[in-house]
Amino acid sequence: MELPKIYGTNKTVHLFRKICKFIYLSCATNFGFEETDLPNYFIRIYTPISKVLEVIVIIFIASEWGSFYTQKNLTEKQLSDLYLFAFSHVVLYMIYASAMHHRDRIRELIVTLTVTLKKVCNDDATEKAMIKKTYRSLTATVFFCSGSLFSYGIDAGVKALTSNATFTTIIPIWPDVEDRQFIAGFARIIHYIIWWIFAIRVISIYLIILCVTICLGHQFTNLYKYFIKLNDIFEEEGSQEDKERSYENAVKVGVKMHSITLWCAKQTQVTCGVAYSGQVIITVSVLVLLMIQMMHTERTLTNVASIAMLGSSVLVGSAVFMLNAGDITTEASRLPTAMFQSGWHNCRGQSSVRARKLLTLAMTEAQNPVVIKGLGVIQLSYESYVSMVKSSYSVFSVIY
């Protein structure tokens, strides 16, 4: 897909520019519809470095699974961490790899949401609310996800300084957790740094998926306000015929925008479906493992802090995904009402007949629920989020 020329113009475009730049700095992949504004020499140097880091991250994940065969001196908590991270890191990498695979589709989806649709209708209040909500969601995601890595690093550091333990954050294939050689300690620090590299790449993908999800929900809000405001056409000066003609043309534009928005919803499900499904799997499995870990772990401040922070990151990550996806369904369900209240009753004669036929078809289409699903069957919403958290505890209670 050829990248178009730079668009100069709305707050949503500026928001996606920032997010896409962060993603490029994380994994040297441009999800934006514009060329990056980074220096050419930086791009030439960073691109091959990023590919090397990609290979290192894959080796890092494989090393976690290899540790099941090489690490025999693990404590109860270390064994629990091994199961937790080995499984969740594979799922997270699948989310990351899926987004990379669909980057051209995501790029097309972004340009449609931020430029094509907003050229026709872009309510300022809705856009401001969308930007504010996006920053809140992204801040919460980054804070809790990075906080969990910090807490595990602090926990390992405190244990290494106050006891005879080694600095062990994740369990790799080598070195052994009891190996106290200098090279082994250095390798553990390198593993922790690689863990951060992996986490930053995944977080950057989470950010673009969240931005697309939130922007799509607010696009349905834009459409709602667009149809509601069509009634104002008949309050303007001019002949009745001119008003009816303007109204019919505006309705046709609104129906076309609705059709494009529904296409965006389908593309969001296709391109981000693995992320939605993966988040459901991670939430249930990690919460269950963390509750089991809490049962068997010594309740020191650092142990509890690391478990609580990871649990919070999973809960917050799932919440921003599922609640924002649920908002898409809620906002889309308001459209039939807006279409009905758009002012068709002001038309007369054949204009009234044409308007009623067009709006009837449009309302019939708008009454079909717009649903974002995880695992192909779970509708993402506030209700499903609460049910998922409850089911995690139910699984834990069955085991114990």
Side-chain angles (χ1 to χ4, degrees):
M1 175 181 175
E2 184 180 354
L3 298 178
K5 296 179 180 178
I6 292 178
Y7 291 92
T9 64
N10 60 61
K11 294 177 182 178
T12 308
V13 169
H14 292 306
L15 170 66
F16 274 91
R17 281 176 184 160
K18 293 177 182 177
I19 299 301
C20 291
K21 187 173 183 178
F22 176 74
I23 295 176
Y24 189 87
L25 293 174
S26 301
C27 50
T29 302
N30 185 14
F31 278 83
F33 50 86
E34 303 168 342
E35 296 289 355
T36 58
D37 59 356
L38 296 168
N40 289 332
Y41 72 87
F42 175 83
I43 295 174
R44 287 196 301 269
I45 295 173
Y46 183 60
T47 300
I49 291 176
S50 181
K51 291 179 180 178
V52 172
L53 292 176
E54 188 76 37
V55 174
I56 291 174
V57 165
I58 294 172
I59 294 173
F60 165 79
I61 296 172
S63 173
E64 290 182 289
W65 284 90
S67 62
F68 282 106
Y69 301 97
T70 61
Q71 302 285 1
K72 304 299 181 182
N73 301 313
L74 302 179
T75 64
E76 193 74 33
K77 183 178 185 304
Q78 287 172 337
L79 184 60
S80 178
D81 283 343
L82 177 57
Y83 280 104
L84 191 155
F85 292 128
F87 173 74
S88 62
H89 285 173
V90 169
V91 179
L92 288 172
Y93 191 81
M94 287 174 61
I95 294 173
Y96 169 82
S98 174
M100 289 295 179
H101 175 70
H102 291 296
R103 60 183 176 273
D104 288 337
R105 285 186 173 185
I106 293 175
R107 187 182 294 127
E108 186 179 4
L109 180 58
I110 291 172
V111 73
T112 303
L113 286 171
T114 61
V115 179
T116 305
L117 289 170
K118 289 188 180 296
K119 279 182 180 178
V120 182
C121 175
N122 186 24
D123 182 74
D124 288 338
T126 301
E127 186 175 44
K128 288 178 181 178
M130 187 270 291
I131 300 259
K132 187 175 180 180
K133 184 177 183 180
T134 300
Y135 277 123
R136 285 202 306 264
S137 298
L138 299 188
T139 300
T141 302
V142 171
F143 175 78
F144 282 100
C145 290
S146 59
S148 63
L149 267 73
F150 272 120
S151 62
Y152 271 85
I154 292 171
D155 179 33
V158 169
K159 288 179 179 177
L161 293 173
T162 60
S163 66
N164 198 31
T166 57
F167 179 77
T168 303
T169 52
I170 51 101
I171 315 295
I173 194 170
W174 178 88
D176 188 273
V177 291
E178 296 300 327
D179 190 342
R180 303 179 187 282
Q181 298 180 68
F182 172 80
I183 187 66
F186 182 74
R188 293 187 187 98
I189 295 174
I190 296 299
H191 284 130
Y192 185 53
I193 293 172
I194 296 172
W195 191 15
W196 266 103
I197 294 172
F198 168 63
I200 290 171
R201 290 180 172 228
V202 173
I203 289 172
S204 69
I205 294 303
Y206 267 51
L207 298 188
I208 194 67
I209 293 173
L210 279 174
C211 282
V212 167
T213 304
I214 295 171
C215 189
L216 178 60
H218 282 77
Q219 174 55 31
F220 280 106
T221 307
N222 259 335
L223 280 174
Y224 174 85
K225 292 187 176 182
Y226 175 84
F227 279 104
I228 289 293
K229 289 179 180 178
L230 292 187
N231 201 33
D232 296 342
I233 292 175
F234 294 96
E235 297 179 5
E236 298 172 356
E237 295 182 358
S239 65
Q240 177 67 16
E241 290 76 12
D242 289 339
K243 293 177 183 179
E244 290 173 352
R245 190 179 305 108
S246 296
Y247 174 78
E248 287 183 55
N249 291 334
V251 168
K252 291 176 183 178
V253 171
V255 170
K256 184 177 181 180
M257 285 201 301
H258 181 227
S259 177
I260 296 173
T261 305
L262 291 177
W263 175 87
C264 289
K266 291 178 182 178
Q267 285 295 101
T268 300
Q269 181 68 67
V270 170
T271 57
C272 306
V274 172
Y276 299 136
S277 300
Q279 192 61 39
V280 171
I281 294 170
I282 287 175
T283 301
V284 175
S285 59
V286 171
L287 288 179
V288 171
L289 287 171
L290 285 177
M291 285 186 280
I292 294 173
Q293 189 176 108
M294 185 65 82
M295 289 284 294
H296 296 284
T297 300
E298 181 184 358
R299 287 176 178 81
T300 63
L301 178 61
T302 53
N303 278 345
V304 172
S306 60
I307 293 173
M309 201 66 187
L310 181 58
S312 298
S313 68
V314 171
L315 289 172
V316 170
S318 295
V320 294
F321 264 91
M322 301 189 76
L323 271 58
N324 287 313
D327 286 344
I328 294 174
T329 304
T330 302
E331 293 301 318
S333 67
R334 300 169 63 202
L335 271 180
T337 302
M339 292 175 178
F340 182 78
Q341 297 174 348
S342 64
W344 58 271
H345 53 279
N346 293 303
C347 296
R348 301 172 185 174
Q350 288 302 310
S351 176
S352 176
V353 173
R354 291 192 298 270
R356 282 186 281 122
K357 285 183 178 179
L358 182 58
L359 283 171
T360 299
L361 294 173
M363 290 170 63
T364 301
E365 179 67 26
Q367 285 173 338
N368 295 322
V370 179
V371 178
I372 302 297
K373 294 183 179 180
L375 299 175
V377 293
I378 300 175
Q379 177 179 338
L380 303 188
S381 64
Y382 173 80
E383 291 77 12
S384 59
Y385 173 71
V386 174
S387 298
M388 187 174 61
V389 175
K390 287 181 178 179
S391 66
S392 301
Y393 181 75
S394 299
V395 172
F396 168 74
S397 62
V398 168
I399 297 175
Y400 288 87

